[in-house]
Amino acid sequence: MATNTGQMGYLPRGGAIFCTIPDILYLPELVFGGLVLSLVASTELFPNNPQAYVISVAIFCFLLTFFWLLIFACGSHNNRSCWASADVAYHGFAALLYLSASVLLAKVTIDAANADLKDTVYYKLNVAAVVFAFFTTLLYVIHTIFSAIRWKSF
């Protein structure tokens, strides 16, 4: 039986990953995660500033999401249920990491606004990074939910 999350008990491979939810979310996760990384890397990093953590989370999630995309695209998962549970675990962990990074980045941006740095380019880059970081968090949460639905069908 086909559903919007793919066939029950089936992990897609090859080009089919771009036709099923949650796998279609890999590309937006990569794009918006890359935007977060480039925006935060464009700003100044002050001592004792949590932006280094944000960059670390963005790099970690970008690389692992790309690696995860390659595993599914190449069909290396052999349609086993352990891959479905690993998919849920990874995306849940990535959502948690991005949520913590987004909150820290929002705090840095609020502190910059309180220090009357609203007119600087770095402040504007941080605001954009906060928006994209929370949107990326939302993408990872949605991916986790739909991956959990698929995992339960195994």
Side-chain angles (χ1 to χ4, degrees):
M1 173 192 224
T3 64
N4 63 345
T5 58
Q7 294 178 352
M8 296 295 193
Y10 169 75
L11 291 172
R13 61 178 50 181
I17 63 171
F18 300 112
C19 301
T20 59
I21 295 175
D23 301 312
I24 200 167
L25 296 173
Y26 282 122
L27 292 179
E29 288 168 358
L30 288 171
V31 168
F32 289 107
L35 280 171
V36 171
L37 176 61
S38 63
L39 287 169
V40 174
S42 300
T43 63
E44 288 184 0
L45 296 176
F46 300 109
N48 302 322
N49 196 335
Q51 286 179 320
Y53 174 73
V54 176
I55 289 176
S56 300
V57 167
I59 290 172
F60 174 79
C61 289
F62 185 85
L63 291 176
L64 249 54
T65 300
F66 184 71
F67 179 66
W68 209 246
L69 172 71
L70 288 179
I71 287 174
F72 276 81
C74 294
S76 301
H77 52 74
N78 294 329
N79 205 24
R80 295 184 185 154
S81 64
C82 63
W83 284 100
S85 58
D87 190 37
V88 174
Y90 165 66
H91 283 93
F93 182 64
L96 184 66
L97 283 177
Y98 252 105
L99 180 63
S100 64
S102 301
V103 169
L104 286 173
L105 188 58
K107 184 195 177 315
V108 168
T109 306
I110 290 170
D111 290 345
N114 292 338
D116 292 331
L117 298 174
K118 287 184 180 179
D119 294 330
T120 64
V121 174
Y122 298 127
Y123 174 77
K124 294 174 184 175
L125 289 173
N126 276 337
V127 169
V130 168
V131 171
F132 287 127
F134 277 111
F135 186 70
T136 306
T137 302
L138 179 66
L139 287 173
Y140 276 109
V141 168
I142 292 169
H143 198 139
T144 303
I145 291 169
F146 281 108
S147 292
I149 292 169
R150 180 173 57 193
W151 173 56
K152 287 185 81 171
S153 72
F154 266 90

